[in-house]
Amino acid sequence: MRLSQHRRRSTLRIGGAVALVVALAASVRLLTLPAPHAPGTDWTLTEAFPSAAVVDVPGYVDGDWAYEPMLFLDDRTSLGTATPSGGGETALVILDGDGRIRTVRTLGADEAPQFGGFTAGDDRIAWLEQTAGDDGQGDAAIWIAGRDGSAAHILTRDLGDFAFFNSQYDLHIRDGRVYWVAAVPGDVLASEIRSVPVAGGDVSVRRIDGGWQSVGGDWLVSAMTAGGGATALVNWQTGRRQSIPNQASELVSCSSTVCRVLVLGGDGGATRIDVMRIDGRERHRAASGSVTAALVDVGLLDRWEVFSRQGSGASALARQQVLLYDIQERRTIALADGAGQIMGRGGFVWWGSGTGDDVTWHVVDLHALR
């Protein structure tokens, strides 16, 4: 009998100790949890994604060469232009995370180079290069190189009347080919889907009625329309078509999965920005007031919208706030204040801060925000 009582008392003591440990652990967890996010305010990147990081990239390389990244291959490796402070030549370079530079192309001031359409595949990079040309009448070509910048060469000059929109899909590489859209000259509105093998060869041309812009894969989107018209998506391979009707007071632009709707006020300016799926489902307000879309492309990685609004800064050229809207979670994340140029493509968003000889670039890898 005494033995039985002793066992019961021992069991009670052990149970009480376990309960005390659990209670202490819960208390510690409560003390270390972040404070609840204040409703109606922007999130910070750390609040939304504690392990996410903003990576800094120098605005000057190799001494006094001003650097502007045009495409990120990863969050520490970028392809961009570099120009010396004294002017003159322009170099297209790859900058890695250790500050090492590999020169891809160098062009003289007399060539007046302009670049666009930067894109990357598994093992290649490609871009559009426009120069003054030997006769001063202008020359345009698509260039291609290894992903490390090696063996840069002209892929084709047979571009047609290429239609670029400062979109990440102006040029894109897939299935061993480089694709772009061109306009068909003449009175009838029509487009060409052009492509060329990455190894070189003849340009393939497919005509399609209407004015179109590539949004990746086989999908094209019509130009932004208003006045009761409709934005449309079409798969140029299968012919599948998706119409997205809009009200007279709305401007709609879309990716292949997400649409951005600018709701206009009486003065013609946007009063708010909505987002929705291409079939109109899940429409909701993403931003209002003085917020504007910072990029042409809609719904990066099918989840992110990049907005800007007036912020603070030492220079009128660098006073923007960079905002990242999470379509999935329906929240706005403030990335930065005092920003200048804002860019995004290939699942990366980056912006510049500072002016003159004190410029730094900052990049966020959207693939890492999970």
Side-chain angles (χ1 to χ4, degrees), residues 60-278:
Y60 280 83
V61 296
D62 199 22
D64 65 346
W65 288 66
Y67 179 66
E68 182 176 354
M70 297 295 185
L71 177 70
F72 277 85
L73 305 177
D74 58 51
D75 64 356
R76 297 182 183 276
T77 307
S78 56
L79 170 67
T81 59
T83 55
S85 58
E89 61 188 11
T90 297
L92 189 63
V93 302
I94 290 179
L95 174 67
D96 69 18
D98 295 323
R100 293 188 294 262
I101 298 171
R102 176 162 189 165
T103 300
V104 182
R105 291 267 293 143
T106 301
L107 297 98
D110 59 331
E111 297 180 85
Q114 297 182 40
F115 303 96
F118 290 95
T119 189
D122 291 338
D123 58 358
R124 314 272 182 139
I125 54 176
W127 64 95
L128 172 72
E129 189 173 298
Q130 296 175 271
T131 59
D134 294 337
D135 58 1
Q137 298 301 307
D139 183 36
I142 292 174
W143 283 70
I144 197 164
R147 197 176 170 95
D148 61 357
S150 60
H153 62 278
I154 291 176
L155 184 62
T156 184
R157 284 191 170 92
D158 184 9
L159 307 185
D161 190 5
F162 59 90
F164 281 17
F165 300 87
N166 198 25
S167 163
Q168 64 180 338
Y169 299 114
D170 287 339
L171 281 180
H172 58 283
I173 301 173
R174 64 184 182 90
D175 302 329
R177 302 183 72 88
V178 179
Y179 288 84
W180 69 99
V181 174
V184 175
D187 298 332
V188 177
L189 186 61
S191 302
E192 295 173 338
I193 294 86
R194 289 178 165 248
S195 68
V196 63
V198 295
D202 294 335
V203 172
S204 173
V205 180
R206 171 85 170 266
R207 178 177 169 135
I208 182 170
D209 291 338
W212 301 95
Q213 172 189 346
S214 177
V215 288
D218 295 327
W219 287 98
L220 308 171
V221 67
S222 59
M224 185 182 290
T225 59
T231 296
L233 286 164
V234 66
N235 185 304
W236 64 269
Q237 290 277 31
T238 66
R240 179 186 169 192
R241 188 182 181 94
Q242 173 81 47
S243 294
I244 302 101
N246 60 287
Q247 302 298 318
S249 60
E250 296 177 346
L251 298 174
V252 180
S253 53
C254 299
S255 71
S256 60
T257 60
V258 178
C259 293
R260 176 196 302 144
V261 184
L262 304 184
V263 181
L264 306 179
D267 61 355
T271 60
R272 76 172 193 263
I273 302 175
D274 291 354
V275 294
M276 64 183 184
R277 298 299 170 186
I278 59 173

Side-chain angles (χ1 to χ4, degrees), residues 279-367:
D279 59 5
R281 292 182 302 112
E282 301 177 24
R283 177 166 174 165
H284 62 277
R285 179 178 299 194
S288 58
S290 60
V291 175
T292 60
L295 305 178
V296 170
D297 292 311
V298 179
L300 302 185
L301 302 183
D302 298 333
R303 180 174 177 178
W304 306 102
E305 277 282 81
V306 183
F307 298 147
S308 65
R309 70 180 170 214
Q310 185 72 20
S312 60
S315 167
L317 299 177
R319 287 184 181 170
Q320 297 185 90
Q321 290 182 342
V322 186
L323 307 175
L324 190 63
Y325 182 72
D326 186 341
I327 298 171
Q328 177 177 302
E329 299 296 334
R330 301 192 180 186
R331 61 186 176 183
T332 299
I333 301 168
L335 293 180
D337 198 356
Q341 188 174 9
I342 303 170
M343 302 177 72
R345 61 180 60 218
F348 295 88
V349 173
W350 64 99
W351 61 94
S353 66
T355 57
D357 59 0
D358 184 25
V359 173
T360 302
W361 296 94
H362 317 273
V363 60
V364 171
D365 181 359
L366 300 180
H367 304 90

